[in-house]
Amino acid sequence: MKKNIIISSLFLSTVIFAQNKGLVANSESPYSKLQSVGLQDVKWTNGFWKEQFDVETKNTLPYMWDLYHNDEVSHAYKNFEIAAGLSKGTFKATFVS
């Protein structure tokens, strides 16, 4: 439930704060031949991109969320909590060789 709230709030904040309701503010450009579409006006209904969107939202994002919050795999989230003063502990770095 917490994951869904955070993912939904990130999506909503993107929609609210997007420039001119698109990812690029090109509505005032005299050189732009195409105009951005508002993010809230777009829906994947079928086809390749709908399938990819479903895979990402139903499988990839929840898996990555769980992986990121697993201290045995990554201490990254815990480092943010320690830095914010929400948790006690010491910073742990991930070294890749």
Side-chain angles (χ1 to χ4, degrees), residues 16 28 51 61 75 82:
I16 292 171
E28 303 296 324
E51 293 171 13
L61 291 174
H75 196 70
I82 293 168

Side-chain angles (χ1 to χ4, degrees), residues 62-81:
Y63 173 77
M64 295 303 295
W65 179 269
D66 293 338
L67 188 66
Y68 187 69
H69 287 83
N70 183 347
D71 285 340
E72 293 178 11
V73 177
S74 171
H75 196 70
Y77 189 74
K78 193 65 160 175
N79 285 339
F80 284 120
E81 289 179 336

Side-chain angles (χ1 to χ4, degrees), residues 14-85:
T14 302
V15 171
I16 292 171
F17 295 110
Q19 301 170 347
N20 292 337
K21 301 192 185 241
L23 292 176
V24 178
N26 62 358
S27 63
E28 303 296 324
S29 172
Y31 306 105
S32 178
K33 294 182 180 183
L34 299 173
Q35 301 296 317
S36 293
V37 177
L39 295 176
Q40 69 278 5
D41 298 330
V42 177
K43 289 187 178 183
W44 302 116
T45 55
N46 58 27
F48 175 79
W49 289 114
K50 170 64 172 154
E51 293 171 13
Q52 293 303 308
F53 183 79
D54 289 343
V55 167
E56 297 301 320
T57 55
K58 293 176 185 169
N59 299 313
T60 306
L61 291 174
Y63 173 77
M64 295 303 295
W65 179 269
D66 293 338
L67 188 66
Y68 187 69
H69 287 83
N70 183 347
D71 285 340
E72 293 178 11
V73 177
S74 171
H75 196 70
Y77 189 74
K78 193 65 160 175
N79 285 339
F80 284 120
E81 289 179 336
I82 293 168

Side-chain angles (χ1 to χ4, degrees), residues 3-15:
K3 290 183 273 189
N4 292 338
I5 292 171
I6 292 174
I7 291 170
S8 297
S9 65
L10 287 174
F11 178 74
L12 185 60
S13 66
T14 302
V15 171

